[in-house]
Amino acid sequence: MDNGVGAFVRAGQRQKAGRAGLRWLRSLAGVVGLGLASMAAGAAVPEPAAVPAAPAHELILSASINRSYVIGSKLVTLSGLYRRTGEGTFEHFGPNLLHVSAASFDPRDHRMIYLAMLNGALFSRDGGERFRIATGWDMTEPKDVAVDPNAPDTVYLALPDGFAVSTDRGWTWGRREKGLPDRGKYTQAIEVDRTRAGRLLIGCEAGLFLTENGGVRWRRVLPTRATVYDVRQSPANPAWWMAATQRDGVQVSRDSGATWTRIPDLAEDGAWYNIDFGTLQPNRIALSSWNQGLVVSEDGGRTWTPRREGLPTDGRIMRVGIDPDTDALYVSVRTEDVYRSDDFGRTWRETGLKGSTVSQFLFLRKPSP
Amino acid sequence: MTTPSRRPCVVAAWFAVCLLLAGASILRAQPSHVGPMPSTLPVASAEERRVAYEARIAEVLEWYSSLSKPSDPLIGDLVGVSVRLALGRDLERCSRSVIELMKSPGSSPFWMFPAAGVAYLGRDRLSPEARAAIRRAWSSVMQLRGDTENHWAMYYASLYLMAQLYPNEPGSSWYTGKSSEENLAEARDYLIHWMRLTTTIGQGEFTCSHYIGEYAIPLTYLAAWAEDPAMRLRARMMLDWIFADQFANSLDGVLHGANARTDDTSVIERWNSLSSFFSWLLLGNTPPPAAYGGFGVYFATVARHYDLPEVIYRIGVDRGGDFMQRDLKRSRRRWRGSDVEMAPIYKLNYSRRDYAVGSYQGGISDPIQAHVWDVTWSVPDPRGVHNTMFSMHPVSSMEDLQMYFAEFPEQMMRSVTTEGKASYDSPDKFLGASRYEQVLQDQDTVIALYNIAPGTRFPHINGFLSKDLVDLTEDASGWIFARGGNAFLAYRPLAPYELQRALVYRSSWTGSKQDSGDRRLYSPHLRNGTIVQAASASEFPSFAAFQAAIRALPLRFSLEPVPTVSFTSLRGRKLEFTYGRTPVVNGRPIDTSAWKLFEGPYLNAERGSQKLTLTNGRLERILDFNTLTITDRIRNP
């Protein structure tokens, strides 16, 4: 932990994982026979080590398995929250919930879970056994939810018509939209700066907006022509941020989100869905996209490579996540399986949740024993 | 991910099951569906009307009740249970069936409202165990609220009634995690909010061919069962409001003109919709669709709680002469890609005995199922008849979908076409509205102009020319002439075209099509337009005389740089319309700022007023949501 507070890690918002995870990765690579030689051929793959360590993080997925479900049809599948219980196995927990866009956990107590889903924001106080729909009719279809790791009573909510905050652990919610445009405040993504309470960026239709005071006032730091779908802070360098957009390509900031530059090698048009940073190897970055598929960098974004071979389609990559303990790469191919790669996308294997569409890979730091 | 708002396909699936259950005897069991056309003459006696109304209710209930055998151990669905509870039959089997059905509750408003209906219809008829099973189901499964106004109407009406039925219970006993009182308050607040919105700036899902059921059913539930007299009255008044609106836009019981939402079938066979069920049940002037439109069965279980006011009945069946109605509606809520949250919809309806012309100004009121304009003619029997004419730009656009859906762009297109809207991405469809279409209607003249952006997925327009048109002629003048019933029709394409076989959709799920005998006017030009002029056959000594009159009308148009038309209509009115500019009629620009919520001989309301005056002859009813009063009076002659 680089800031001394918070015990959870959201994909792309990681704390330093230390050497143990790295060693475990190397061990895993040997166990599953991936071939260390081929791994070593990669640009930044470290030397193998011998001692495995228990993973420090639990993988939680928000996933829908719907088989053409529409409102009104019979729900015959199990959707909502899953946790990885082993290699290739995922266990559903909590209610059967379609349309969960995102989950966030209170770093002090993982039984306190917040969800963004079709019905609004939900919270649970018992690890997901039961939820309360925390918002009313005037807030619907939130796309993201995030606990402030430095002020964990505060929870942020991205709404299709703006932004809301709860300062009492989800019981009550109020809109905080001063500085957001009347139109163009469709909000898809939230990333809380792990270095300072109340500092966060949100991805909206009209661009990226920054607040330094928990949403009391916003200012636009990047105008865009269409929705910003993701914004992430590097786990290695808190000043390094990236944003995925629909029509303005992939953007990068090296000054904590104050200024942004488009990455010229990546397509400008056609939505980029999400970004994740590596933790063990911070120069690793992965991007998901419907049209471009999976694109990765292993040199901190200087060069980019499509990694499609072994995946069932060239595109339709809904989500990508990088395991902070192992650097394993997970992708969700729409209504297919979750796929895992232990060599950063060079080879793939199915790892479960057949027929799913994952909206979030969330790596939750396990409590200290 | 899914695209949630796909109701008609679900109903269609349910309807298909009904057909299978009924087998070959289904049509015999629905006497009004297959029987002779009902009279369209008004019934003067209120008592006679009520008796006939209740007979129709009984017909629906008996038909559905007959679909399963008494020897079947269980009733297989909630609507079957509702029907038997409404009839007071098989109560012990109803209880057993409810216990079984509640073992796997649904997860949406389409389960909630039938379940709430069973709970109320069975309050004093179901066993304690069955009632307890219903109660448990509202605790165990998260109900999705959905993403459309009709979803929310069903969701909150159902939640309201269930919270009312089980007061003082904690959040732990409800799927919402909220107490009975919290659920009731939230539901009440939303319902009142929706009513206020509708009665000030117009209905969102306006004059829908099917979705009227999703409003009528929950509103009738509330009118019947809400304990709060204010909510009961509000619901009752809203029922009057939407039925009056629907019937003013119906021609002999057949909904015509613009719809916020319709479907691939109803847009060309205008009678074949749930709306016709309500016309049949409440007005008695047209046959009901097969299986009573599916949702009609639900309505029938509570229909005795509603009594159509005479003034609305007469608006539906006894209108006298020609009339023009101007209404204000609003688009579906726009999340993004728009300067406004809800766009105003300026809707027109010009009705005559032989035909009706309806439209709104163009643009996207709803992303998938809107219908912008048509001329629909009266026929002796509308069953199987495609009595309509229109043109449209078929749209398939991620940007348009994103405007209304909070989803990722590319997957949304995939979802739409694989989850119940197969025609959406088809160039030959007849369903949908376009941002590149602008419409001017003046009485029975329509000018539709198209200025389709280069690169648009489907760069053409489709005109619908029905199999039921007679004497269709492509005239050397450029006009296409035809007769539809007692209407003479003139259709003027403004750009080159070809007539093709029209393939109409049989299934919105599979996308299977069939040759309907209709024709598709295919015009692959970005700058385009259509002029349609209608008239009654009785106005001319012959069809040839009508054609001669049309040919003689002054018409100038050009398509570059944008479509522009100057046309003097059959009614002698000079129409000047240029794409992107305010239309001008007889030298005066159309002023939409003065557009009222309703304006016409039958429905009148000021914008923002929450007060609707319904008039027919000397009858008048005022629905005032400000004071929660209904005032009936007989006006002075």
Side-chain angles (χ1 to χ4, degrees), chain A residues 99 119 133 143 229 246 273, chain B residues 2 104 143 178 402 406 410:
Chain A
H99 302 289
N119 283 11
I133 304 173
K143 310 312 294 179
Y229 281 111
Q246 179 168 337
Y273 285 2
Chain B
T2 66
S104 56
Q143 298 299 321
K178 297 175 179 174
Q402 280 194 283
E410 295 90 351

Side-chain angles (χ1 to χ4, degrees), chain A residues 267-320:
Chain A
E268 185 173 13
D269 223 349
W272 293 95
Y273 285 2
N274 91 306
I275 303 163
D276 206 5
F277 287 96
T279 298
L280 294 181
Q281 297 186 60
N283 281 337
R284 284 184 161 180
I285 308 164
L287 305 170
S288 71
S289 155
W290 184 278
N291 294 322
Q292 310 294 327
L294 175 73
V295 178
V296 303
S297 173
E298 298 188 85
D299 55 11
R302 283 194 295 278
T303 61
W304 296 88
T305 308
R307 290 278 159 80
R308 299 166 184 165
E309 197 169 338
L311 291 172
T313 63
D314 282 346
R316 291 167 45 200
I317 308 297
M318 300 304 300
R319 214 70 190 169
V320 61

Side-chain angles (χ1 to χ4, degrees), chain B residues 13-72:
Chain B
W14 179 77
F15 168 61
V17 171
C18 292
L19 290 174
L20 285 173
L21 284 172
S25 66
I26 183 170
L27 298 181
R28 286 197 303 275
Q30 300 177 63
S32 295
H33 174 60
V34 296
M37 266 295 289
S39 168
T40 56
L41 296 175
V43 176
S45 160
E47 186 178 355
E48 282 182 36
R49 288 199 302 271
R50 185 70 192 184
V51 168
Y53 177 62
E54 293 188 359
R56 290 190 288 268
I57 294 170
E59 177 183 322
V60 180
L61 298 178
E62 293 294 346
W63 168 72
Y64 202 85
S65 178
S66 71
L67 293 184
S68 71
K69 300 173 190 160
S71 57
D72 293 341

Side-chain angles (χ1 to χ4, degrees), chain A residues 66 69 71 74 99 119 130 132-133 135 137 139-140 143 161 183 205 227 229 246 273 290-291 334, chain B residues 2 4 104 143 145 152 174 176-178 182 333-334 336-340 402 406 408-410 415:
Chain A
N66 69 56
Y69 173 89
I71 293 289
K74 189 80 174 174
H99 302 289
N119 283 11
R130 292 203 60 92
R132 174 183 166 90
I133 304 173
T135 45
W137 64 264
M139 294 184 191
T140 193
K143 310 312 294 179
D161 60 343
R183 301 298 297 169
E205 180 190 7
T227 305
Y229 281 111
Q246 179 168 337
Y273 285 2
W290 184 278
N291 294 322
R334 182 183 182 273
Chain B
T2 66
S104 56
Q143 298 299 321
R145 190 166 55 187
W152 285 38
W174 294 98
T176 59
K178 297 175 179 174
E182 289 175 305
R333 187 177 193 176
R334 295 175 174 176
R336 50 185 161 173
S338 171
D339 292 337
V340 295
Q402 280 194 283
F408 288 113
E410 295 90 351
S415 299

Side-chain angles (χ1 to χ4, degrees), chain A residues 116-129:
Chain A
M117 70 159 293
L118 184 66
N119 283 11
L122 281 63
F123 70 73
S124 172
R125 297 284 183 260
D126 58 9
E129 283 299 306

Side-chain angles (χ1 to χ4, degrees), chain B residues 203-517:
Chain B
Q203 193 169 4
E205 294 183 320
F206 56 87
T207 48
C208 290
S209 59
H210 295 78
Y211 287 96
I212 183 176
E214 277 84 333
Y215 294 96
I217 295 166
L219 286 170
T220 309
Y221 280 13
L222 291 169
W225 297 321
E227 291 172 3
D228 175 7
M231 181 57 81
R232 270 205 315 276
L233 186 58
R234 285 178 195 277
R236 167 62 199 248
M237 289 162 64
M238 281 309 303
L239 280 169
D240 286 358
W241 190 293
I242 64 172
F243 283 138
D245 193 9
Q246 200 84 359
F247 295 151
N249 285 277
S250 297
L251 183 66
D252 299 330
V254 175
L255 185 67
H256 70 86
N259 314 114
R261 302 181 73 175
T262 180
D263 66 17
D264 293 305
T265 298
S266 303
V267 75
I268 59 174
E269 187 184 354
R270 301 254 61 186
W271 160 82
N272 196 353
S273 74
L274 184 62
S275 181
S276 296
F277 165 81
F278 288 101
S279 294
W280 169 74
L281 186 71
L282 294 160
L283 305 178
N285 64 346
T286 198
Y292 304 98
F295 274 33
V297 183
Y298 287 113
F299 187 81
T301 65
V302 288
R304 66 181 178 82
H305 292 284
Y306 183 66
D307 194 16
L308 188 73
E310 182 173 0
V311 65
I312 301 177
Y313 172 76
R314 290 193 175 277
I315 288 171
V317 303
D318 187 17
R319 291 200 289 245
D322 309 341
F323 75 95
M324 173 68 91
Q325 182 79 37
R326 293 179 180 80
D327 304 335
L328 179 65
K329 309 295 183 189
R330 62 189 157 83
S331 75
R332 180 173 170 154
R333 187 177 193 176
R334 295 175 174 176
W335 294 123
R336 50 185 161 173
S338 171
D339 292 337
V340 295
E341 182 184 14
M342 290 178 284
I345 300 295
Y346 303 105
K347 186 172 172 297
L348 286 165
N349 162 27
Y350 181 67
S351 287
R352 309 188 79 196
R353 184 188 62 201
D354 294 326
Y355 61 90
V357 183
S359 69
Y360 72 86
Q361 78 272 25
I364 316 163
S365 60
D366 182 90
I368 301 172
Q369 296 175 299
H371 176 56
V372 178
W373 68 272
D374 68 46
V375 178
T376 296
W377 58 91
S378 178
V379 291
D381 186 335
R383 288 171 284 196
V385 180
H386 299 173
N387 53 330
T388 192
M389 172 184 275
F390 59 89
S391 67
M392 52 87 72
H393 170 225
V395 167
S396 175
S397 161
M398 283 191 302
E399 288 72 23
D400 288 0
L401 294 175
Q402 280 194 283
M403 187 185 291
Y404 295 95
F405 294 98
E407 302 282 355
F408 288 113
E410 295 90 351
Q411 67 148 13
M412 185 70 206
M413 182 69 76
R414 179 69 65 94
S415 299
V416 165
T417 52
T418 59
E419 295 175 2
K421 297 292 185 293
S423 73
Y424 182 74
D425 195 35
S426 296
D428 55 357
K429 66 180 178 178
F430 291 108
L431 181 64
S434 168
R435 64 174 70 207
Y436 303 122
E437 181 184 47
Q438 296 180 353
V439 176
L440 165 63
Q441 178 187 343
D442 186 75
Q443 295 179 305
D444 47 10
T445 310
V446 174
I447 303 174
L449 301 180
Y450 305 88
N451 187 13
I452 303 166
T456 298
R457 180 159 170 72
F458 299 136
H460 64 266
I461 67 168
N462 293 331
F464 180 75
L465 299 176
S466 166
K467 66 181 174 59
D468 297 301
L469 289 169
V470 177
D471 295 336
L472 188 141
T473 308
E474 293 180 86
D475 192 72
S477 64
W479 287 92
I480 299 171
F481 296 114
R483 292 189 293 120
N486 289 324
F488 287 160
L489 301 161
Y491 183 117
R492 182 65 160 91
L494 299 187
Y497 66 92
E498 60 184 78
L499 296 186
Q500 303 177 343
R501 286 185 314 142
L503 298 176
V504 300
Y505 283 82
R506 298 180 64 194
S507 165
S508 58
W509 279 96
T510 65
S512 64
K513 303 177 193 177
Q514 67 178 12
D515 186 344
S516 61

